Amino acid sequence: LYAGLLPWQFFARAATSGVGSVLGNSWILSQVAFPRAVLPVTAVLTGFVDFLAGSVVLLGMLVVMGHTPGLHLLWWPVAFAPLLFLSLAAALLLSALTVVLRDVQHAAPYATRLLFLASPVLYPLTALTGIVHAVVAANPLTGALEAHRAAWIGGPVDLPLLAVSWVVGAGLLAVSAAVFRRLEPRFGDLL
């Protein structure tokens, strides 16, 4: 359970912290000139510190339970990269949209909760069947979450599902960065 919850918490914190990162620091944007993308990126990176601390706790839990991770832990960076891409994409996109559409900051926590239900956090993907399995498998977070769980606990990594997370994560990050850059010149007028 914790092996699925840990990467989810990283993503959820990045999305919810990133959504208000630009709007919440509007006072500094009018005082100092700096790349505004630093604010949502910083929100993601501070969550990474918590994620690393949680990973140490997870390692301790596994050792106490008599399950020492082996070579399958080498999958961890491969599983974490798309999670980082998706987290950065969410933070950049939501922070830029919040400046333009203030209601985004109120809708983001609800959207995150819905995404939680459509992600294999509390359960493995193999526990699902039929249309529910197809819907959860279509979630771009699924491949990263499942690979993270497999890296810590062992078991097969679903490479096509992980590849979808990589491709969609990289694509969304590129789109989110482009949207942020396009909206950034309007921030001064809207804040």
Side-chain angles (χ1 to χ4, degrees):
L1 175 68
Y2 192 65
L5 197 56
L6 185 63
W8 169 259
Q9 286 289 48
F10 171 72
F11 173 79
R13 179 176 177 181
T16 56
S17 297
V19 73
S21 62
V22 173
L23 190 62
N25 291 301
S26 61
W27 60 274
I28 199 167
L29 294 176
S30 62
Q31 307 285 329
V32 181
F34 66 94
R36 292 177 172 113
V38 167
L39 297 170
V41 169
T42 302
V44 173
L45 293 180
T46 56
F48 181 65
V49 174
D50 289 344
F51 179 78
L52 289 178
S55 295
V56 171
V57 171
L58 178 58
L59 178 63
M61 289 171 57
L62 290 173
V63 169
V64 167
M65 295 170 63
H67 184 78
T68 307
L71 288 177
H72 47 80
L73 196 55
L74 294 174
W75 280 104
W76 181 85
V78 178
F80 181 73
L83 185 66
L84 180 63
F85 296 161
L86 290 165
S87 300
L88 285 167
L92 285 168
L93 182 64
L94 293 175
S95 66
L97 291 178
T98 298
V99 174
V100 178
L101 306 166
R102 303 293 166 105
D103 290 338
V104 170
Q105 68 183 348
H106 302 297
Y110 297 107
T112 305
R113 287 185 192 118
L114 287 174
L115 190 58
F116 174 78
L117 296 174
S119 301
V121 176
L122 303 176
Y123 49 85
L125 184 62
T126 56
L128 304 174
T129 59
I131 189 75
V132 176
H133 181 276
V135 168
V136 173
N139 180 350
L141 283 169
T142 297
L145 293 172
E146 286 289 300
H148 186 269
R149 184 180 287 120
W152 281 99
I153 299 172
V157 173
D158 188 342
L159 292 178
L161 204 56
L162 184 58
V164 168
S165 289
W166 267 87
V167 170
V168 172
L172 284 176
L173 181 56
V175 168
S176 297
V179 168
F180 191 92
R181 278 192 305 269
R182 182 175 170 94
L183 295 176
E184 188 176 12
R186 296 177 55 196
F187 287 177
D189 299 334
L190 297 172
L191 293 175

